[in-house]
Amino acid sequence: METAPSRLQQLLAFYEDDPTDAFTIYALATEYRETEPETAMRYYQTLLDQHPDYVGTYYHAGKMLQHLQKPDEAEKVYQKGLRVARKAGQLHAASEIQQALNQLLGLDYEDED
């Protein structure tokens, strides 16, 4: 009896069929985010390099870089993401990226009572 392919196996097959599809690359990064952060970051980097207008990448790539202890790289990703999101008119995404950048830089002014 054959078992159904896992979601990761399906995504890898989609990627093999079309390694340029931004949604598949993003989905793979998401799949690997918890278990293999370096692999996830490679997929995020592919998106940053090959699909610089894919706004959804910037927040998650920045967070992954923070997780990987690369705050300077995270800051650059957030800064570029802000420009890309604003240019695309995606103000909600820009707001989320700005909040992540502020948090990274210690500029989040929330009370810590």
Side-chain angles (χ1 to χ4, degrees):
M1 182 172 162
E2 266 186 54
T3 59
S6 71
R7 186 159 85 168
L8 179 58
Q9 289 170 323
Q10 289 176 322
L11 288 170
L12 289 169
F14 293 150
Y15 183 71
E16 191 173 308
D17 289 342
D18 184 1
T20 65
D21 181 67
F23 181 78
T24 300
I25 298 167
Y26 183 84
L28 281 165
T30 300
E31 277 297 305
Y32 282 115
R33 193 166 47 210
E34 295 297 320
T35 58
E36 296 181 41
E38 292 85 8
T39 301
M41 192 61 229
R42 282 197 299 275
Y43 284 108
Y44 285 131
Q45 191 62 53
T46 298
L47 285 167
L48 294 170
D49 294 341
Q50 296 177 9
H51 302 278
D53 294 332
Y54 200 81
V55 174
T57 304
Y58 291 91
Y59 176 87
H60 295 290
K63 286 291 186 183
M64 185 56 62
L65 286 164
Q66 283 184 259
H67 176 75
L68 295 172
Q69 305 296 311
K70 297 179 179 185
D72 293 341
E73 290 180 45
E75 182 179 353
K76 291 175 188 171
V77 167
Y78 289 144
Q79 294 282 3
K80 183 170 183 187
L82 278 172
R83 291 190 300 273
V84 171
R86 288 176 180 150
K87 182 179 176 187
Q90 294 191 27
L91 301 183
H92 181 75
S95 173
E96 289 181 336
I97 294 167
Q98 183 69 64
Q99 289 175 343
L101 176 61
N102 289 351
Q103 181 271 327
L104 172 69
L105 298 175
L107 301 175
D108 47 347
Y109 297 110
E110 295 182 21
D111 290 333
E112 297 181 7
D113 290 337

